Amino acid sequence: MSDGEADVAKIEHEHLREELERATAVGGETASAAREVLMVLSPHMLLEEELALPPLKLLPRLARGEFAPEMESILAKTDALKAELPRMLEEHAALIGALRRLLQAAIKEKHDGYASFAQKLILHAQQEEEIYYPASILVGEFIKLRRRR
């Protein structure tokens, strides 16, 4: 993930927040469920932006075989991510529960766009768990291995 892509991820997070804010304005169970998602999601996204996204910026350089001593500065973030991962996965479980409630409410109240949004966000959380978090941690582990050479 390049610097631009990491910035794109932050912009995507902002769009997710905005979409949820709009959902809180539709009223009913959908609005209540959207507020619940926002309460869980907002602090979680800040942690992702702090710990999970920065290491991914190094992936293109590492994939090209590049290595520079200054890359070691990312180790504090990858080590923190590794330590925080159980909590972040617990937050994902809570988030997915809240998203399922949003999905059910949106379907019941015929807010198809918000139902689709909830489904996409559930898949996004799965993608983070299966790809982004492990990749971020592996960046740190790879740098540790490279510096031992």
Side-chain angles (χ1 to χ4, degrees):
M1 183 174 285
S2 68
D3 287 341
E5 289 169 331
D7 293 338
V8 168
K10 287 183 179 185
I11 291 167
E12 180 184 353
H13 279 174
E14 186 55 37
H15 288 174
L16 294 175
R17 285 186 201 96
E18 290 169 359
E19 189 69 18
L20 284 165
E21 289 289 345
R22 283 191 289 275
T24 65
V26 299
E29 292 176 34
T30 300
S32 295
R35 278 190 286 280
E36 181 185 358
V37 171
L38 266 172
M39 286 177 44
V40 176
L41 187 62
S42 291
H44 179 77
M45 285 193 296
L46 293 175
L47 193 58
E48 285 179 349
E49 291 169 7
E50 174 65 24
L51 300 180
L53 295 180
L56 296 176
K57 292 179 181 182
L58 295 177
L59 277 175
R61 291 178 62 199
L62 293 171
R64 289 190 299 268
E66 297 175 24
F67 180 76
E70 69 268 7
M71 290 178 173
E72 293 180 26
S73 66
I74 205 70
L75 293 177
K77 291 190 184 295
T78 59
D79 289 345
L81 175 61
K82 200 172 186 179
E84 291 290 332
L85 189 59
R87 179 172 69 108
M88 292 176 77
L89 295 176
E90 286 177 14
E91 289 174 354
H92 266 201
L95 175 61
I96 289 169
L99 285 165
R100 286 187 176 134
R101 287 186 284 284
L102 174 59
L103 174 62
Q104 291 170 348
I107 289 170
K108 177 181 171 187
E109 296 174 342
K110 303 202 185 321
H111 296 294
D112 295 338
Y114 293 122
S116 176
F117 173 79
Q119 288 174 321
K120 288 177 186 174
L121 203 46
I122 289 168
L123 292 174
H124 178 81
Q126 183 179 0
Q127 188 176 42
E128 289 176 344
E129 290 177 15
E130 294 177 2
I131 300 169
Y132 297 132
Y133 296 167
S136 290
I137 291 169
L138 284 174
V139 165
E141 297 304 310
F142 183 77
I143 290 171
K144 289 175 187 177
L145 288 172
R146 282 294 304 259
R147 75 176 179 186
R148 290 185 192 135
R149 288 182 168 181

